[in-house]
């Protein structure tokens, strides 16, 4: 099989504060996947804008999403399966990510705004302020029937959320895709 059909990319998505990085890192460990923190791939102008409490627009996000898709393609060309944390809030954003070589599966971390806002208040060293959470919920579009993926409720403990994500991901990461299950 060539890289375009054999490799699987998990995109751990959702609004800020859902635990995307934590879950993505756990999936990387569980399935021996290459990991990328989507926030690290933002151009500095995007980070500056969000740090100032200004929501990103589609124009701001497009080059960032292409960078993530290019990273996934590069890893697939090297025979690697990946996991990346990325908000991927709109279908059009996910369509850009799906342009990567390989199969792209979305792990949508979802939960009540109040729970997420409370968690965001307690995290340190992140540029995304709680004030932008409303704009993220306004932007969020549910996965559609033509997108591979599943939803994980983040209401449980960290370990419960990770276990649910691992269980869901395992159904997509088969021996055929080169990932041990």
């Amino acid at each position: 099989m060539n890289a375009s059909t054999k490799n699987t990319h998990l995109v751990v998505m959702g609004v800020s504060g859902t635990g995307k990085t934590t879950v993505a890192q756990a999936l990387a460990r569980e399935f021996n996947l290459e990991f990328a923190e989507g926030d690290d791939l933002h151009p500095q102008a995007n980070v500056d804008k969000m740090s100032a409490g200004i929501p990103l627009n589609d124009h701001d996000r497009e080059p960032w999403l292409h960078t993530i898709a290019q990273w996934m393609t590069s890893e697939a060309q090297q025979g690697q399966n990946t996991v990346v944390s990325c908000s991927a809030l709109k279908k059009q954003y996910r369509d850009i990510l799906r342009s990567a070589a390989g199969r792209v599966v979305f792990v949508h971390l979802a939960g009540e705004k109040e729970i997420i806002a409370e968690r965001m208040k307690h995290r340190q060293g992140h540029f995304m302020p709680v004030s932008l959470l409303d704009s993220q919920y306004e932007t969020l579009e549910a996965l559609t029937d033509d997108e591979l993926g599943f939803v994980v409720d983040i209401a449980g403990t960290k370990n419960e959320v990770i276990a649910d994500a691992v269980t869901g991901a395992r159904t997509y990461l088969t021996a055929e895709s080169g990932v041990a299950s």
Side-chain angles (χ1 to χ4, degrees):
M1 283 184 148
N2 66 37
S4 65
T5 58
K6 126 177 180 178
N7 295 95
T8 298
H9 310 287
L10 299 177
V11 176
V12 181
M13 61 166 282
V15 299
S16 187
T18 54
K20 292 183 296 292
T21 299
T22 299
V23 171
Q25 289 173 333
L27 290 169
R29 284 189 303 275
E30 178 72 21
F31 298 109
N32 194 29
L33 306 173
E34 292 297 315
F35 166 73
E37 168 59 60
D39 285 343
D40 291 345
L41 300 174
H42 269 294
Q44 188 60 45
N46 285 6
V47 173
D48 293 345
K49 195 171 183 179
M50 289 183 285
S51 296
I54 302 167
L56 298 180
N57 59 38
D58 292 348
H59 178 75
D60 298 323
R61 286 186 183 98
E62 188 171 344
W64 170 61
L65 294 164
H66 281 290
T67 298
I68 294 171
Q70 289 166 358
W71 176 79
M72 291 188 296
T73 294
S74 175
E75 293 297 317
Q77 290 168 343
Q78 297 174 51
Q80 297 294 316
N81 296 296
T82 70
V83 60
V84 62
S85 57
C86 173
S87 53
L89 300 176
K90 286 185 178 180
K91 184 175 186 312
Q92 73 185 52
Y93 305 162
R94 296 189 300 269
D95 287 345
I96 293 170
L97 297 173
R98 292 191 319 165
S99 72
R103 180 172 63 160
V104 178
V105 177
F106 297 98
V107 182
H108 180 189
L109 304 182
E112 297 295 321
K113 190 185 320 182
E114 295 75 26
I115 293 171
I116 295 168
E118 189 60 32
R119 290 179 183 178
M120 288 178 76
K121 289 178 191 174
H122 297 289
R123 68 182 183 176
Q124 298 176 357
H126 197 278
F127 57 81
M128 182 68 145
V130 176
S131 61
L132 291 183
L133 190 55
D134 284 337
S135 73
Q136 289 220 322
Y137 269 96
E138 290 167 9
T139 303
L140 180 63
E141 296 174 358
L143 292 174
T144 60
D145 290 342
D146 69 327
E147 296 175 289
L148 294 176
F150 57 97
V151 177
V152 175
D153 185 346
I154 57 102
T157 67
K158 177 175 81 170
N159 288 338
E160 290 168 336
V161 172
I162 289 170
D164 289 347
V166 166
T167 298
R170 192 175 309 281
T171 64
Y172 291 95
L173 296 171
T174 64
E176 180 180 311
S177 68
V179 177
S181 53

